[in-house]
Amino acid sequence: EIVMTQSPATLSVSPGERATLSCRASQSLSSNLAWYQQKPGQAPRLLIYDASTRATGIPARFSGSGSGTEFTLTISSLQSEDFAIYYCQQYNTWPPMYTFGQGTKLEIK
Amino acid sequence: QVQLQESGPGLMKPSQTLSLTCTVSGGSISSGGYYWSWLRQHPVKGLEWIGYMSYSGTTFYSPSLKGRVTMSTDMSQNQFSLMLSSVTAADTAVYYCARARPGAGIVGATSGFDPWGQGTLVTVSS
């Protein structure tokens, strides 16, 4: 099983500033990685797939980068609605055995 | 815009079989080459992929749950379903249905879950 490790567990950032979230995989994923945002009481929402492609309707301030085992989600200028928990998910294994990171909580500083 | 909605029992007893249904609106489960998926979120263990299937019936299940999981579709109702047998307290979680984007290359590969249903809490307790 591929283990996904996200850091930090909690990130405190002021509105308007940049946030950088990290995700590391225990083995190479190529670019087979997605990022999700989850707000309290809601389901996760797909932000990024294939490591760097924004999903439909996702603002341009969200960007993903990386390949192999190291990935980054960057939010360029934090808006109030961006404070949430963010998860990475790998879909590189075949047959499928998809796994998620434990999440990074992005909170207001 | 495709929307998904889970339905099923909120409370179950150990050893029972959990049955959940996901109703899809705004699009047909037989179109677009998507895969129809179940995931769950444990309070402590986090998000877990359970499995997905194509509308034609090809299924892929998580090895950790294989043997207890069965998925099916009902195209006449535009629904798909999950059955999980022999539940225990460890199966207590919020269960989500979701549509999986088709991936590149291998048939059956996917590339992210979008959209998700709102989720339904299932509690297993005697």
Side-chain angles (χ1 to χ4, degrees):
Chain A
E1 175 179 312
I2 296 178
V3 177
M4 306 300 294
T5 303
Q6 293 185 241
S7 61
T10 303
L11 181 62
S12 299
V13 183
S14 300
E17 293 188 342
R18 174 187 297 257
T20 302
L21 290 69
S22 297
C23 177
R24 174 177 293 178
S26 61
Q27 57 187 271
S28 179
L29 305 180
S30 183
S31 296
N32 295 316
L33 183 109
W35 288 95
Y36 300 85
Q37 175 193 68
Q38 187 176 33
K39 297 179 180 179
Q42 297 183 17
R45 176 176 70 143
L46 179 67
L47 300 175
I48 301 285
Y49 63 93
D50 293 347
S52 60
T53 303
R54 277 189 302 277
T56 302
I58 302 303
R61 64 180 182 273
F62 291 91
S63 63
S65 63
S67 65
T69 61
E70 301 283 345
F71 300 87
T72 300
L73 174 70
T74 301
I75 311 170
S76 59
S77 178
L78 280 164
Q79 308 297 304
S80 58
E81 62 267 29
D82 300 335
F83 292 96
I85 299 175
Y86 292 83
Y87 296 96
C88 59
Q89 176 237 330
Q90 66 82 15
Y91 47 88
N92 191 62
T93 47
W94 189 261
M97 179 54 220
Y98 300 155
T99 50
F100 290 81
Q102 80 281 13
T104 290
K105 182 179 181 181
L106 181 58
E107 64 177 27
I108 301 174
K109 187 174 182 179
Chain B
Q1 182 173 340
V2 171
Q3 293 183 309
L4 294 82
Q5 175 71 60
E6 306 88 351
S7 58
L11 182 63
M12 301 197 64
K13 295 187 183 302
S15 81
Q16 290 183 328
T17 295
L18 170 65
S19 180
L20 295 173
T21 296
C22 183
T23 301
V24 179
S25 58
S28 171
I29 64 172
S30 62
S31 67
Y34 294 101
Y35 296 89
W36 303 96
S37 315
W38 289 97
L39 306 99
R40 64 185 182 180
Q41 187 166 27
H42 302 264
V44 177
K45 287 175 57 181
L47 286 160
E48 179 181 17
W49 171 71
I50 298 172
Y52 58 74
M53 68 181 302
S54 69
Y55 78 93
S56 60
T58 302
T59 55
F60 300 93
Y61 300 141
S62 169
S64 64
L65 294 170
K66 213 168 186 177
R68 293 204 295 141
V69 175
T70 305
M71 295 182 185
S72 60
T73 58
D74 182 345
M75 283 185 279
S76 68
Q77 299 292 321
N78 217 35
Q79 295 175 333
F80 61 103
S81 298
L82 167 72
M83 294 183 68
L84 181 66
S85 63
S86 305
V87 297
T88 69
D91 295 309
T92 293
V94 175
Y95 285 75
Y96 294 100
C97 59
R99 185 182 68 177
R101 303 181 69 261
I106 304 171
V107 172
T110 64
S111 59
F113 300 101
D114 178 46
W116 299 50
Q118 66 183 29
T120 186
L121 175 63
V122 175
T123 302
V124 181
S125 174
S126 55

